[in-house]
Amino acid sequence: MSVSASHWQLPPLPEPWRARLRALPPQPPSWLAALALQRLLLPRLDAEQRRALGGAVVELELQELGLRVRLRLQGDRFVAAGGQEPARLRLSARTDALWRLLRGQDDADRLFFERALQMEGDTEYGLVLKNTLDALGPLLPM
């Protein structure tokens, strides 16, 4: 299911504000994201999926805000990853695109080709993550 091109978009913060947000340590928002994934995603992952995704640092930046979260699946929980640890995968997404992806209103391939979602780093790991999320379906109810 996809959404029409007239979907809502968060206006970008002015660059000086995004630069300030990028300079902040990622731990506080990362802790909140880890708690959310602990409830929304972790119970749906089987042992094989946890093993495939475990240990790697994933960084996500919300483009309009410059806000970053850095996470790792460590054993049986998601944790905030430190800022000095190299990210195996970096994702950058528009906030509206990430919201639509989490709700199952759009798929990652479409968002990638529309440049609403960008990925750099270990593309094989990125495909494992994408395929896992695709198999699970929406993380947030509509």
Side-chain angles (χ1 to χ4, degrees):
M1 179 167 138
S2 65
V3 171
S4 71
S6 64
H7 58 271
W8 170 84
Q9 286 188 356
L10 182 67
L13 284 178
E15 182 52 38
W17 285 99
R18 284 192 311 228
R20 288 181 181 130
L21 280 173
R22 274 189 222 105
L24 292 174
Q27 281 79 6
S30 298
W31 292 326
L32 294 174
L35 288 173
L37 289 176
Q38 197 70 20
R39 289 182 169 249
L40 296 172
L41 179 58
L42 191 65
R44 299 175 64 186
L45 294 176
D46 64 31
E48 184 178 327
Q49 291 165 327
R50 288 180 189 203
R51 186 176 34 76
L53 297 174
V57 173
V58 175
E59 181 176 294
L60 172 65
E61 179 181 3
L62 299 177
Q63 292 173 353
E64 301 91 342
L65 303 176
L67 184 68
R68 293 177 303 135
V69 295
R70 295 175 49 84
L71 303 165
R72 173 188 16 239
L73 176 57
Q74 185 172 304
D76 63 347
R77 62 190 206 126
F78 283 96
V79 297
Q84 288 74 25
E85 301 174 70
R88 185 166 177 188
L89 183 67
R90 285 184 186 85
L91 301 168
S92 177
R94 290 192 331 243
T95 306
D96 66 303
L98 183 61
W99 184 251
R100 291 191 328 264
L101 182 66
L102 292 173
R103 294 185 62 130
Q105 295 173 310
D106 249 328
D107 62 63
D109 291 329
R110 177 183 172 145
L111 297 174
F112 180 78
F113 288 114
E114 289 178 354
R115 310 270 311 143
L117 174 68
Q118 297 162 10
M119 177 179 70
E120 67 178 57
D122 186 340
T123 54
E124 185 176 330
Y125 182 83
L127 286 173
V128 169
L129 177 60
K130 177 207 164 306
N131 292 338
T132 299
L133 294 175
D134 284 349
L136 295 176
L139 294 181
L140 295 174
M142 297 246 278

